[in-house]
Amino acid sequence: MTDLSSFAIKICGLSTPETLEAAMAGGADMIGLNFHPKSPRFVTLERAGELAAMARGKTEIVVLIVDWDERRAVELAEALKPDWLQLHGRETPDEVAALRRATGLPVMKALGIAEAADLAAVGAYHSVADRILLDAKPPKDAAFPGGHGRPFDWSLLAGLDPAQRFMLSGGLDPANVAQAIGIARPAGVDVSSGVESAPGVKDPARIAEFIAAARKAAAAGQESSSA
């Protein structure tokens, strides 16, 4: 629904005040709090509340949920008052629309990409979600969704309708984010494991490096497109 008017950088799976501070100091536009219990980045409502209080008014707060019903989503939205709801499960377009209505929050829908055929779903979700996040499909035996630190073939996105703006995730890190932005031309990027020293353990230095590299690449891309 909503086109991204400026490039957005999201640091997801934050769980400590120190790493949240690093994300905000680096200039992250969005921070993600993960409510999926099987993820190493899971945070309790109590911890999320502490982090949200630190972030409120300084960066946009995104809560990540997986296949929740409307009641649970509404309870979380009322308790935490985030800026965004990120749906990272198998939610259908109708379910995305229903969660958006029930919570009153803008919704970011993650879609797993492994091959060109996976892009067919983008159109259906583009009409009901405020933002689309294209992520790498998880391995078949994975315990939780997401890219698991592995990128997909970004050149697949060349066939996507340019009007279907999206954020990019999956296997991004400080070393490859500039290349990813150059190839995929996303409206934003989202990173989690790529700025960690161990699963679920964010590295403040890598967070700063990622944000700086992404910002520089996005600015270079905007300059070349307007030249």
Side-chain angles (χ1 to χ4, degrees), residues 47-135:
R47 172 50 65 91
E50 296 170 357
L51 298 174
M54 291 175 58
R56 200 172 311 283
K58 301 173 183 176
T59 185
E60 293 189 307
I61 301 163
V62 183
V63 292
L64 185 160
I65 60 177
V66 178
D67 296 321
W68 281 26
D69 60 30
E70 292 179 36
R71 178 186 59 79
R72 290 180 70 197
V74 168
E75 288 175 352
L76 178 60
E78 291 176 346
L80 204 62
K81 295 180 172 55
D83 299 295
W84 285 84
L85 192 66
Q86 179 174 331
L87 307 179
H88 223 101
R90 298 179 179 178
E91 300 89 359
T92 66
D94 286 345
E95 288 169 337
V96 171
L99 286 164
R100 188 177 186 275
R101 285 193 302 269
T103 61
L105 291 172
V107 169
M108 179 186 302
K109 177 67 180 96
L111 299 175
I113 305 297
E115 56 188 31
D118 295 323
L119 295 173
V122 174
Y125 285 96
H126 193 270
S127 63
V128 293
D130 297 271
R131 293 187 182 181
I132 297 294
L133 176 65
L134 299 184
D135 198 358

Side-chain angles (χ1 to χ4, degrees), residues 7-218:
F7 193 86
I9 298 174
K10 176 171 171 278
I11 309 296
C12 198
L14 292 162
S15 59
T16 68
E18 295 77 17
T19 53
L20 174 61
E21 287 285 4
M24 293 192 295
D29 303 288
M30 313 174 88
I31 60 98
L33 304 174
N34 191 324
F35 282 87
H36 190 52
K38 293 182 179 180
S39 171
R41 300 159 193 95
F42 170 75
V43 289
T44 63
L45 182 59
E46 180 179 9
R47 172 50 65 91
E50 296 170 357
L51 298 174
M54 291 175 58
R56 200 172 311 283
K58 301 173 183 176
T59 185
E60 293 189 307
I61 301 163
V62 183
V63 292
L64 185 160
I65 60 177
V66 178
D67 296 321
W68 281 26
D69 60 30
E70 292 179 36
R71 178 186 59 79
R72 290 180 70 197
V74 168
E75 288 175 352
L76 178 60
E78 291 176 346
L80 204 62
K81 295 180 172 55
D83 299 295
W84 285 84
L85 192 66
Q86 179 174 331
L87 307 179
H88 223 101
R90 298 179 179 178
E91 300 89 359
T92 66
D94 286 345
E95 288 169 337
V96 171
L99 286 164
R100 188 177 186 275
R101 285 193 302 269
T103 61
L105 291 172
V107 169
M108 179 186 302
K109 177 67 180 96
L111 299 175
I113 305 297
E115 56 188 31
D118 295 323
L119 295 173
V122 174
Y125 285 96
H126 193 270
S127 63
V128 293
D130 297 271
R131 293 187 182 181
I132 297 294
L133 176 65
L134 299 184
D135 198 358
K137 268 190 174 179
K140 291 184 178 180
D141 58 350
F144 54 93
H148 291 252
R150 301 187 304 183
F152 63 94
D153 180 359
W154 303 314
S155 66
L156 292 173
L157 303 181
L160 196 62
D161 182 348
Q164 295 175 340
R165 300 286 281 160
F166 62 91
M167 291 182 71
L168 181 67
S169 187
L172 300 179
D173 59 36
N176 70 12
V177 66
Q179 180 186 17
I181 291 170
I183 294 172
R185 302 294 182 185
V189 289
D190 184 358
V191 67
S192 188
S193 63
V195 292
E196 293 179 346
S197 57
V201 181
K202 292 290 187 290
D203 182 329
R206 286 181 66 80
I207 290 173
E209 290 169 9
F210 181 88
I211 295 173
R215 195 71 72 195
K216 181 179 180 180

